[in-house]
Amino acid sequence: MESIAVIFWSGTGNTATMAQEVVAGTGGQAKLINVTDTNADEAAAYDKLALGCPSMGDEVLEEDEMEPFFTALEGKISGKKVVLFGSYDWGDGQWMRDWAERTKKAGAILAADPLIVNLSPDADGKAKCRELGKALADA
Protein backbone atom coordinates (compact mmCIF):
# COMPACT_ATOMS: atom_id res chain seq x y z
CA MET A 1 0.00 0.00 0.00
CA GLU A 2 1.25 3.46 -0.88
CA SER A 3 1.84 5.88 1.97
CA ILE A 4 -0.17 9.09 2.05
CA ALA A 5 0.34 12.23 4.14
CA VAL A 6 -2.14 15.06 4.54
CA ILE A 7 -0.01 18.03 5.58
CA PHE A 8 -1.70 21.32 6.41
CA TRP A 9 -1.44 24.73 8.05
CA SER A 10 -4.56 26.29 9.57
CA GLY A 11 -5.04 29.60 11.32
CA THR A 12 -8.75 29.48 12.17
CA GLY A 13 -9.41 25.74 11.99
CA ASN A 14 -11.18 25.78 8.60
CA THR A 15 -8.30 24.16 6.71
CA ALA A 16 -7.74 21.74 9.61
CA THR A 17 -11.36 20.60 9.23
CA MET A 18 -10.77 20.17 5.50
CA ALA A 19 -7.63 18.14 6.21
CA GLN A 20 -9.53 15.78 8.52
CA GLU A 21 -12.13 15.21 5.81
CA VAL A 22 -9.42 14.55 3.20
CA VAL A 23 -7.99 11.88 5.51
CA ALA A 24 -11.48 10.37 5.87
CA GLY A 25 -11.75 10.27 2.08
CA THR A 26 -8.60 8.15 1.87
CA GLY A 27 -10.36 5.53 3.94
CA GLY A 28 -8.11 6.35 6.85
CA GLN A 29 -4.97 5.45 4.88
CA ALA A 30 -3.42 8.90 5.25
CA LYS A 31 -1.49 10.31 8.16
CA LEU A 32 -2.69 13.77 9.28
CA ILE A 33 0.27 16.10 9.93
CA ASN A 34 0.37 19.75 10.92
CA VAL A 35 3.11 21.41 8.86
CA THR A 36 4.77 22.58 12.08
CA ASP A 37 5.37 18.91 12.99
CA THR A 38 7.26 17.86 9.85
CA ASN A 39 9.85 18.94 7.31
CA ALA A 40 10.38 18.57 3.57
CA ASP A 41 12.54 15.44 3.86
CA GLU A 42 9.95 13.64 6.00
CA ALA A 43 7.14 14.72 3.67
CA ALA A 44 9.04 13.57 0.59
CA ALA A 45 9.28 10.07 2.06
CA TYR A 46 5.52 9.60 1.48
CA ASP A 47 4.32 8.22 -1.86
CA LYS A 48 1.42 10.68 -2.14
CA LEU A 49 0.75 14.07 -0.57
CA ALA A 50 -2.30 16.20 0.16
CA LEU A 51 -1.22 19.72 1.03
CA GLY A 52 -3.56 22.25 2.61
CA CYS A 53 -3.20 25.95 3.30
CA PRO A 54 -5.67 28.82 3.45
CA SER A 55 -5.31 32.00 1.46
CA MET A 56 -3.38 34.57 3.44
CA GLY A 57 -2.69 38.26 2.99
CA ASP A 58 -2.74 39.19 -0.68
CA GLU A 59 -3.75 35.64 -1.74
CA VAL A 60 -0.51 33.87 -0.84
CA LEU A 61 0.45 30.80 1.17
CA GLU A 62 0.95 31.32 4.89
CA GLU A 63 4.41 32.87 5.01
CA ASP A 64 6.00 31.67 8.27
CA GLU A 65 5.37 27.90 8.12
CA MET A 66 3.79 26.69 4.87
CA GLU A 67 5.71 28.82 2.36
CA PRO A 68 9.17 27.84 3.67
CA PHE A 69 8.05 24.21 3.94
CA PHE A 70 6.75 24.13 0.38
CA THR A 71 9.81 25.94 -0.97
CA ALA A 72 11.99 23.21 0.57
CA LEU A 73 9.63 20.49 -0.71
CA GLU A 74 9.49 21.69 -4.34
CA GLY A 75 12.74 20.01 -5.29
CA LYS A 76 11.60 16.69 -3.80
CA ILE A 77 8.13 16.11 -5.35
CA SER A 78 8.88 15.38 -8.99
CA GLY A 79 6.76 12.40 -10.06
CA LYS A 80 4.71 12.36 -6.83
CA LYS A 81 0.92 12.43 -6.88
CA VAL A 82 -0.30 15.51 -5.03
CA VAL A 83 -3.59 17.24 -4.26
CA LEU A 84 -3.99 20.79 -2.93
CA PHE A 85 -6.73 22.29 -0.79
CA GLY A 86 -7.49 25.29 1.38
CA SER A 87 -10.03 27.76 2.65
CA TYR A 88 -10.40 31.44 1.86
CA ASP A 89 -12.40 34.44 3.02
CA TRP A 90 -12.16 36.74 0.02
CA GLY A 91 -10.55 36.83 -3.41
CA ASP A 92 -10.93 34.47 -6.33
CA GLY A 93 -8.49 31.67 -5.58
CA GLN A 94 -5.34 33.17 -7.10
CA TRP A 95 -3.20 31.73 -4.29
CA MET A 96 -4.38 28.24 -5.20
CA ARG A 97 -3.80 28.72 -8.94
CA ASP A 98 -0.28 29.96 -8.16
CA TRP A 99 0.35 27.01 -5.82
CA ALA A 100 -0.92 24.51 -8.40
CA GLU A 101 1.35 26.03 -11.04
CA ARG A 102 4.37 25.81 -8.72
CA THR A 103 3.48 22.20 -7.92
CA LYS A 104 3.28 21.27 -11.60
CA LYS A 105 6.53 23.12 -12.39
CA ALA A 106 8.19 21.05 -9.63
CA GLY A 107 7.23 17.94 -11.60
CA ALA A 108 4.46 16.69 -9.32
CA ILE A 109 1.33 15.13 -10.76
CA LEU A 110 -1.89 16.79 -9.61
CA ALA A 111 -4.16 13.82 -8.92
CA ALA A 112 -7.26 16.06 -8.87
CA ASP A 113 -8.16 19.70 -9.33
CA PRO A 114 -7.27 21.85 -6.31
CA LEU A 115 -10.13 22.40 -3.87
CA ILE A 116 -10.98 25.73 -2.25
CA VAL A 117 -13.80 26.29 0.23
CA ASN A 118 -15.11 29.65 1.39
CA LEU A 119 -14.62 29.94 5.16
CA SER A 120 -15.65 26.86 7.16
CA PRO A 121 -16.60 23.85 5.04
CA ASP A 122 -20.31 23.05 5.12
CA ALA A 123 -21.67 19.55 4.41
CA ASP A 124 -21.05 19.97 0.67
CA GLY A 125 -17.53 21.27 1.27
CA LYS A 126 -16.75 18.36 3.57
CA ALA A 127 -18.04 15.92 0.94
CA LYS A 128 -15.77 17.54 -1.65
CA CYS A 129 -12.82 17.14 0.74
CA ARG A 130 -13.60 13.44 1.12
CA GLU A 131 -13.82 13.12 -2.68
CA LEU A 132 -10.41 14.78 -2.95
CA GLY A 133 -8.96 12.28 -0.47
CA LYS A 134 -10.50 9.38 -2.40
CA ALA A 135 -9.10 10.73 -5.68
CA LEU A 136 -5.63 10.82 -4.17
CA ALA A 137 -5.92 7.35 -2.65
CA ASP A 138 -7.16 5.94 -5.97
CA ALA A 139 -4.57 7.77 -8.12
Side-chain angles (χ1 to χ4, degrees):
M1 182 185 309
E2 294 179 303
S3 60
I4 304 171
V6 177
I7 301 171
F8 71 96
W9 184 91
S10 187
T12 63
N14 296 337
T15 301
T17 297
M18 293 179 74
Q20 292 164 355
E21 295 295 331
V22 172
V23 169
T26 69
Q29 293 181 56
K31 181 172 182 182
L32 184 64
I33 305 170
N34 188 305
V35 72
T36 60
D37 297 327
T38 192
N39 61 54
D41 288 331
E42 290 174 359
Y46 287 88
D47 298 311
K48 299 176 183 180
L49 297 170
L51 303 174
C53 184
S55 173
M56 300 295 289
D58 191 22
E59 287 210 72
V60 297
L61 293 177
E62 187 278 329
E63 296 173 303
D64 293 327
E65 299 289 338
M66 186 54 92
E67 177 61 41
F69 166 78
F70 188 72
T71 297
L73 185 63
E74 280 177 289
K76 303 172 188 302
I77 58 173
S78 182
K80 284 196 184 290
K81 292 176 182 168
V82 175
V83 295
L84 303 174
F85 64 94
S87 62
Y88 68 101
D89 185 8
W90 62 272
D92 69 355
Q94 187 61 48
W95 102 99
M96 189 59 73
R97 290 190 296 277
D98 292 343
W99 197 12
E101 185 62 28
R102 284 176 67 187
T103 302
K104 288 187 270 188
K105 282 185 179 178
I109 301 158
L110 288 179
D113 290 336
L115 175 63
I116 62 173
V117 171
N118 185 249
L119 299 173
S120 182
D122 59 12
D124 182 56
K126 289 178 180 180
K128 288 178 179 175
C129 291
R130 290 189 299 275
E131 289 170 13
L132 187 69
K134 183 173 182 349
L136 182 60
D138 292 346

